[in-house]
Amino acid sequence: MERYAIKGGNPLAGEVEIAGAKNAALAILAAAIMTDETVLIENMPDVRDTNVLLEAIQEIGAIVERVDKSRVKVNGSTITNVSVDYEFIKKIRASYYLLGALLGKYKHAEVPLPGGCNIGSRPIDQHLKGFRALGASVEIRNGAIVTQAEKLKGSHIFLDMVSVGATINIMMAASMANGRTIIENAAREPHVVDVANFLNSMGANIKGAGTDVIRIKGVEKLHKTEYSIIPDQIEAGTFMFAAAATRGDVLVKNVIPKHLEATTAKLEEIGCEVKEFDDSVRVIASRELRKTHVKTLPYPGYPTDMQPQIAAALTMAKGTSIVTESIFENRFKYVDELARMGANIKVEGNTAIIDGVDRLTGARVSASDLRAGAALVIAGLSAEGITIVDDIVYIQRGYEDFEIKLRSLGAEIEKVSTEKEIQKFRLRVG
Ligand code: EPZ
């Protein structure tokens, strides 16, 4: 099993390039099969989740050609099977985007029910509500969702809560339904907009993405396109908080500053200087960090995917901080691991109370999910001594070349597998 060995204490400094947005890429890869023509997707992140989804669409018969590390061609004309294998949904929940894509194109889809995950039960009732509203039958058969329709008919759909996945899945199916669909209480995340723009580049007719009302006029067919995915604002924010926690000075390149507004506002509140340029942001953390209160909300509020990262930085901020998680019911599993590094942090319900300490000390910790893992790396980079982060397979799901990018900023971090390699690391870094 791979793990990270980290020697903390180096302020991060230099420049880092951000990859394409994982959460946009997963939906776009699913939507790419909705045409029988060839689609070229650029700025694809080379991470485990997107690579698994590429395997899933190949497995149902689509042709996938990896042009290079960040470009892929997809052609859905050879799809022979609308049933996705359980092994893929087990590896990544977002395989469920194939429901909306296959239902839209073939009026039939079978995808195993995604289980919960380490951050919550994550039901998909709103996705299924949308498919039914479009006239599809939806049933659970042998652990799989089976949905089909003679034809899909546009509908006026009110989501019961803001859901990124449901918004995107319904948008895909509705883009090839007959007539008009309105999605009310839609998610407004940048990656929802990116999927809408991608579908429109294929000939769909989607308006209002990025607002809470999305209007879709269904079309018969979608055609080829070439499309570049937006930068990953969560990867960008993760590096911004790594700069803050290590008191560094980092230029984060290939970003859309507008997508980072909530993150930037919090970094400034805790004492960092953030300079914005056209497609980059610079974080300078020369002063001691200060406490803050933060509550995660749907976009444009503070992102839940950046909650563990700010908590890691706040463990060394002066004063008592409050972090409230309003999206998922179980996104504080990393707190016990931070406490093992000397953080003074306790969880009451969906709130973490953090009393800042002068310093963290390195320890052996384990990642419970993608963003929790990133937060433990941030803590390790700023702690005194050596931190070993186990289970980094979670981190590799969403961060391209994470340790390579951190090393280019001066971090002492290495991927290790055996105890012997850990000893060698300890000897090398002293
Ligand atoms: C997407 O998950 C992201 N994943 C998550 O990122 C992100 O945390 C989340 O959006 C919120 O921004 C991908 O895009 C692949 P939701 P998703 O539907 O779509 C409840 C990461 O770290 N809900 O917006 O599953 C749900 O339980 C991952 O990259 C229902 O009850 O999130 C949650 O409490 C983690 N019924 C809330 O809504 C439904 O049908 C928001 O979930 C759907 C959702």
Side-chain angles (χ1 to χ4, degrees), residues 22-24 26-27 49 92-97 117 119-129 159-168 187 189 191 232-234 297-299 303-306 309 325-329 331 369-372 397-399:
K22 164 186 80 91
N23 291 345
L26 291 170
D49 274 8
I92 57 157
R93 306 170 36 78
S95 307
Y96 60 37
Y97 281 138
C117 75
I119 62 176
S121 64
R122 303 186 74 180
I124 60 165
D125 55 297
Q126 299 297 302
H127 302 233
L128 308 184
K129 168 181 175 170
L159 292 179
D160 297 327
M161 88 278 292
V162 175
S163 160
V164 168
T167 302
I168 291 175
E189 271 71 1
H191 39 289
D232 192 320
Q233 82 262 23
I234 305 299
L297 289 168
Y299 192 84
T304 176
D305 291 349
M306 209 78 76
Q309 295 92 319
E325 172 56 56
S326 77
I327 308 291
F328 291 111
E329 66 264 31
R331 197 163 204 175
D369 64 80
L370 168 56
R371 309 303 174 185
R397 294 184 55 175
Y399 290 95

Side-chain angles (χ1 to χ4, degrees), residues 234-306:
I234 305 299
E235 183 194 12
T238 302
F239 280 100
M240 292 165 80
F241 275 106
T246 59
R247 308 282 284 277
D249 179 347
V250 174
L251 180 68
V252 183
K253 296 167 69 176
N254 187 27
V255 300
I256 299 172
K258 173 114 187 81
H259 294 166
L260 296 165
E261 282 180 342
T263 299
T264 297
K266 278 300 168 190
L267 282 162
E268 289 174 335
E269 218 176 282
I270 64 175
C272 297
E273 185 187 355
V274 182
K275 292 181 175 172
E276 284 188 4
F277 305 96
D278 287 348
D279 60 357
S280 59
V281 289
R282 183 178 171 193
V283 178
I284 306 164
S286 49
R287 295 192 297 269
E288 181 179 35
L289 298 182
R290 296 192 297 266
K291 69 169 177 67
T292 187
H293 292 187
V294 58
K295 177 174 183 180
T296 65
L297 289 168
Y299 192 84
Y302 187 85
T304 176
D305 291 349
M306 209 78 76

Side-chain angles (χ1 to χ4, degrees), residues 96-122:
Y96 60 37
Y97 281 138
L98 288 168
L99 277 171
L102 293 168
L103 180 65
K105 182 182 183 185
Y106 298 108
K107 312 305 182 256
H108 181 193
E110 298 188 14
V111 175
L113 257 175
C117 75
N118 286 325
I119 62 176
S121 64
R122 303 186 74 180

Side-chain angles (χ1 to χ4, degrees), residues 54-271:
L54 280 167
E55 286 167 28
I57 60 178
Q58 274 179 304
E59 206 268 344
I60 60 173
I63 298 165
V64 169
E65 180 199 334
R66 291 301 293 248
V67 177
D68 60 30
K69 184 176 170 79
S70 64
R71 287 189 306 165
V72 64
K73 280 184 183 170
V74 173
N75 182 301
S77 62
T78 50
I79 287 174
T80 52
N81 176 3
V82 291
S83 172
V84 177
D85 198 283
Y86 178 64
E87 68 163 300
F88 297 110
I89 196 83
K90 206 171 56 180
K91 286 179 187 165
I92 57 157
R93 306 170 36 78
S95 307
Y96 60 37
Y97 281 138
L98 288 168
L99 277 171
L102 293 168
L103 180 65
K105 182 182 183 185
Y106 298 108
K107 312 305 182 256
H108 181 193
E110 298 188 14
V111 175
L113 257 175
C117 75
N118 286 325
I119 62 176
S121 64
R122 303 186 74 180
I124 60 165
D125 55 297
Q126 299 297 302
H127 302 233
L128 308 184
K129 168 181 175 170
F131 297 151
R132 288 190 178 102
L134 293 171
S137 66
V138 177
E139 53 174 330
I140 308 298
R141 202 186 297 160
N142 307 113
I145 301 151
V146 178
T147 181
Q148 49 197 332
E150 277 305 302
K151 62 181 176 52
L152 294 174
K153 191 167 170 311
S155 174
H156 196 161
I157 300 165
F158 286 79
L159 292 179
D160 297 327
M161 88 278 292
V162 175
S163 160
V164 168
T167 302
I168 291 175
N169 235 341
I170 297 164
M171 190 164 72
M172 283 194 282
S175 63
M176 295 188 80
N178 294 348
R180 293 175 184 280
T181 294
I182 299 174
I183 304 174
E184 304 267 5
N185 202 16
R188 301 163 55 187
E189 271 71 1
H191 39 289
V192 172
V193 178
D194 213 24
V195 178
N197 291 340
F198 173 73
L199 286 164
N200 283 340
S201 78
M202 293 166 77
N205 184 332
I206 301 169
K207 292 186 171 50
T211 74
D212 59 357
V213 182
I214 297 179
R215 298 171 192 284
I216 301 150
K217 192 168 176 303
V219 296
E220 283 286 310
K221 267 178 127 36
L222 295 172
H223 55 66
K224 65 178 182 294
T225 186
E226 296 191 2
Y227 193 82
S228 183
I229 293 172
I230 55 167
D232 192 320
Q233 82 262 23
I234 305 299
E235 183 194 12
T238 302
F239 280 100
M240 292 165 80
F241 275 106
T246 59
R247 308 282 284 277
D249 179 347
V250 174
L251 180 68
V252 183
K253 296 167 69 176
N254 187 27
V255 300
I256 299 172
K258 173 114 187 81
H259 294 166
L260 296 165
E261 282 180 342
T263 299
T264 297
K266 278 300 168 190
L267 282 162
E268 289 174 335
E269 218 176 282
I270 64 175

